[in-house]
Amino acid sequence: MRNVLVFGERRDGDLKKPSLEAVSVGRRLADAGGGTLSVLVVGPGAAEAAAALGAHGADRVVACEAEHLALYAPEAYAAQIAEAARAEGAGIVLVAGTQMGRDVAPRAAARLGAGCLSDLVEIETAGDGTVRGRRPVYSGKAYARVASRGPVAVAILRPNVFPATVARPGAGADAVAVPPALAPERIRVRTTAVERGGEQEIDVAEASIIVSGGRGLKGPESFSLVRDLARALGGAVGASRAAVDAGWIPHSHQVGQTGKVVSPNLYVACGISGAIQHLAGMSSSKVIVAVNKDPEAPIFKAADYGVVGDLFEVLPRLTEEVRRLKSS
Ligand SMILES: Cc1cc2nc3c(=O)[nH]c(=O)nc-3n(C[C@H](O)[C@H](O)[C@H](O)COP(=O)(O)OP(=O)(O)OC[C@H]3O[C@@H](n4cnc5c(N)ncnc54)[C@H](O)[C@@H]3O)c2cc1C
């Protein structure tokens, strides 16, 4: 029997989509191992935020409502995950590969003396209890098979790869209130405030739709064309390194080898040539659309749909059409 614990990360009080994806994976692994699925949620309002988790497949919700855990504190969150894993008898701990998840998971693994498998796009348990996974390497050109053999394994799941399903509509989950694992005076590093960076509301690493702009935009002001299309589609704004290096848009938007790795359902590349370092960050997108005036641009080799044309003409028409379809 192998119990599973999922760390449920929140934004503005609600569970983040990548965490719901992890809950769905957790349900599958718990069923395969004949164990239970618990979800840890921390911070004020944790129990309320976790109320819907039964429908997503959670058997138990572990809620730590401590006021001092409202914002991310690496040591405290890692300690909370390790404590919950021990208390729930978890053999597998799943964390979504968000910025916070990638930071906290190895810390929790160290506290548990567990192996940490990162950036997984596949995960399963073998008959001998080993947790096995697959992760992209060499900029997505190959996959590595990885395994963790100890009694506990921590796994970081790539966002947007696993579907978030409502496994048990209307079902509830047992709620357990737990105290903080670390007292406030023992926390050495904490987040004091979170400031939103401009108009960007959705992090590209978690977005299911991304519209990215490159050097073909010719200047920072033309990013409004990319933003308009992203807004119409309900997506995030991404960028190539050329656009970031030119100072047209902050680095937090950069997609690629030295930027963020993304796997959205839809990736629209506008005025981006498709250099190998850019493809390394987005080639696992489910549908790729390229807008480029050069029919020989390498991006077309990766694209499912291509528009050969001037983005200054194509993007406004595309945006208008999306708005029209959405309003009809
Ligand atoms: C170690 C290393 C790490 C790197 N990491 C990254 C990374 O993380 N992410 C990344 O993106 N790059 C990265 N790069 C840089 C990468 O090699 C490319 O230089 C970069 O991706 C090019 O960006 P771009 O496609 O916007 O620009 P360009 O290659 O200059 O392409 C611009 C494209 O716009 C098209 N275009 C021009 N005008 C129009 C128009 N009016 N309408 C339509 N299309 C038009 C052109 O045909 C062209 O294809 C890295 C490089 C190195 C060496």
Side-chain angles (χ1 to χ4, degrees):
M1 189 185 82
R2 208 143 201 210
N3 292 344
V4 180
L5 175 77
V6 173
F7 169 57
E9 186 183 335
R10 295 155 74 203
R11 178 191 287 135
D12 297 334
D14 294 327
L15 264 284
K16 285 178 126 181
K17 182 171 161 276
S19 289
L20 294 178
E21 294 165 9
V23 173
S24 294
V25 173
R27 182 68 264 158
R28 174 170 61 78
L29 296 179
D31 287 343
T36 57
L37 171 62
S38 306
V39 182
L40 169 69
V41 188
V42 298
E48 198 184 327
L53 283 173
H56 284 274
D59 298 308
R60 287 160 62 79
V61 168
V62 181
C64 177
E65 294 264 355
E67 198 66 44
H68 69 276
L69 296 182
L71 294 178
Y72 181 47
E75 298 156 293
Y77 275 45
Q80 206 69 43
I81 293 172
E83 186 59 38
R86 286 190 201 101
E88 298 297 303
I92 305 172
V93 177
L94 300 179
V95 179
T98 59
Q99 207 151 334
M100 185 196 294
R102 291 196 309 272
D103 187 72
V104 77
R107 297 170 187 273
R111 283 177 179 267
L112 288 164
C116 186
L117 307 174
S118 62
D119 201 22
L120 297 190
V121 295
E122 278 177 24
I123 182 168
E124 61 184 20
T125 44
D128 61 357
T130 307
V131 176
R132 297 179 194 278
R134 221 160 72 103
R135 61 182 295 248
V137 290
Y138 301 126
S139 305
K141 289 223 164 298
Y143 286 92
R145 294 190 184 282
V146 290
S148 177
R149 288 206 175 79
V152 186
V154 176
I156 305 173
L157 307 180
R158 188 184 273 208
N160 276 322
V161 170
F162 303 92
T165 51
V166 177
R168 303 167 167 177
D174 294 338
V176 191
V178 293
L182 275 193
E185 61 277 10
R186 290 188 54 206
I187 302 173
R188 289 167 298 183
V189 178
R190 69 173 74 234
T191 308
T192 51
V194 176
E195 286 176 24
R196 291 201 184 283
E199 85 299 332
Q200 173 85 344
E201 284 178 9
I202 313 169
D203 183 352
V204 281
E206 299 164 27
S208 55
I209 296 176
I210 298 171
V211 184
S212 279
R215 204 184 334 244
L217 286 169
K218 310 270 192 293
E221 58 290 340
S222 324
F223 254 98
S224 61
L225 298 173
V226 171
R227 285 196 187 93
D228 287 348
L229 180 56
R231 213 169 283 141
L233 288 166
V237 175
S240 72
R241 177 161 159 182
V244 171
D245 285 354
W248 299 347
I249 187 160
H251 180 260
S252 56
H253 296 256
Q254 185 180 316
V255 172
Q257 189 180 318
T258 43
K260 290 181 176 162
V261 175
V262 301
S263 301
N265 294 331
L266 174 63
Y267 188 89
V268 188
C270 312
I272 292 177
S273 60
I276 185 72
Q277 295 89 353
H278 188 79
L279 296 177
M282 45 62 77
S283 57
S284 62
S285 304
K286 291 167 196 79
V287 176
I288 298 172
V289 177
V291 181
N292 197 304
K293 68 176 184 186
D294 175 8
E296 301 297 325
I299 190 74
F300 287 124
K301 289 206 175 77
D304 299 284
Y305 300 94
V307 182
V308 178
D310 185 341
L311 66 87
F312 293 94
E313 287 169 23
V314 175
L315 290 193
R317 286 168 63 182
L318 209 51
T319 304
E320 201 184 302
E321 192 60 16
V322 171
R323 286 191 188 130
R324 194 185 64 76
L325 285 170
K326 285 208 164 180
S327 65
S328 62

